[in-house]
Amino acid sequence: MGYPIIETIDLRKSFGDNEVLKGINVKIMPNEVVVIIGASGSGKSTFLRCLNRLNEPDDGDIRFEGYSILGKDVDIDLIRSQMTMVFQNFNLFMHLTAKRNVSLPLRQVKKMSKKDANDAAMAALEKVGLVDKANAYPGQLSGGQQQRVAIARALAMEPKAILFDEPTSALDPELIGEVLDVMKKLANISGMTMIVVTHEMGFARDVADRVLFMDGGVILEEGPPEDMFVKPKYERTRTFLKRVLAEVDAMDPLKPKYDVPESIDGIAVSKDDNR
């Protein structure tokens, strides 16, 4: 089966008196697409941000390619260049063109020449379908295009894994599909290791190798999507999915839809639950 590219051991994180992560143990294998779902406040984004130490864990360990990344002598910038992150709100420099937003970290972190960085930036923009927008500024792009630039920036670093923190949550419904399509291509064509926090259940069903359900700071349940969405083990998982799938069924028709099952492990999913 091989060795995990990312592993957490008893990972814990608190903010003040609020313990957000309560001993997370998980292994992410190379080329695996892992989707993390759960209610707001369950610890999903905190867990993701701990993986490359944007949030510093309080206890436990994080291992990348078998080595702990929590030591004081660890070059965290190097780790982050190999485990890049795509944020909810794009985090683009508004005064730089799309190409410059992608090439800047290549020059600053990877110390590439201007020409090599620009060539790599254009290649990354081509992968997300935005070569024609290379000289456009973020303010001239739609939200979906801005997020695709952010994905290109992550790709250009040639990472071994990409972390996605609710990459579509800041987008208008009609723009979500173009970002999800890029992410699907990454998973299906490039074989990129991806850890994705999302509420997009259709993406989780279609693309994930494994779905993790977080609740109250722990991974309550995990498994392949065909098991998680149809026959979850725990009542809390069933209740969450019943609510979320009913909401998806009621949402704007332009937004990517999940085919809502008639029941989840015998519990009916009503199309009227949230209307």
Side-chain angles (χ1 to χ4, degrees), residues 9-23:
I9 302 170
D10 197 29
L11 192 67
R12 297 178 180 273
K13 176 66 179 177
S14 297
F15 295 100
D17 295 332
N18 182 24
E19 188 177 19
V20 179
L21 301 181
K22 302 176 181 179

Side-chain angles (χ1 to χ4, degrees), residues 238-259:
R238 290 193 289 267
T239 300
F240 171 79
L241 288 173
K242 180 176 182 287
R243 176 179 61 80
V244 170
L245 294 178
E247 289 176 354
V248 171
D249 182 65
M251 68 188 175
D252 190 309
L254 291 177
K255 194 172 181 179
K257 289 179 68 67
Y258 178 91
D259 294 330

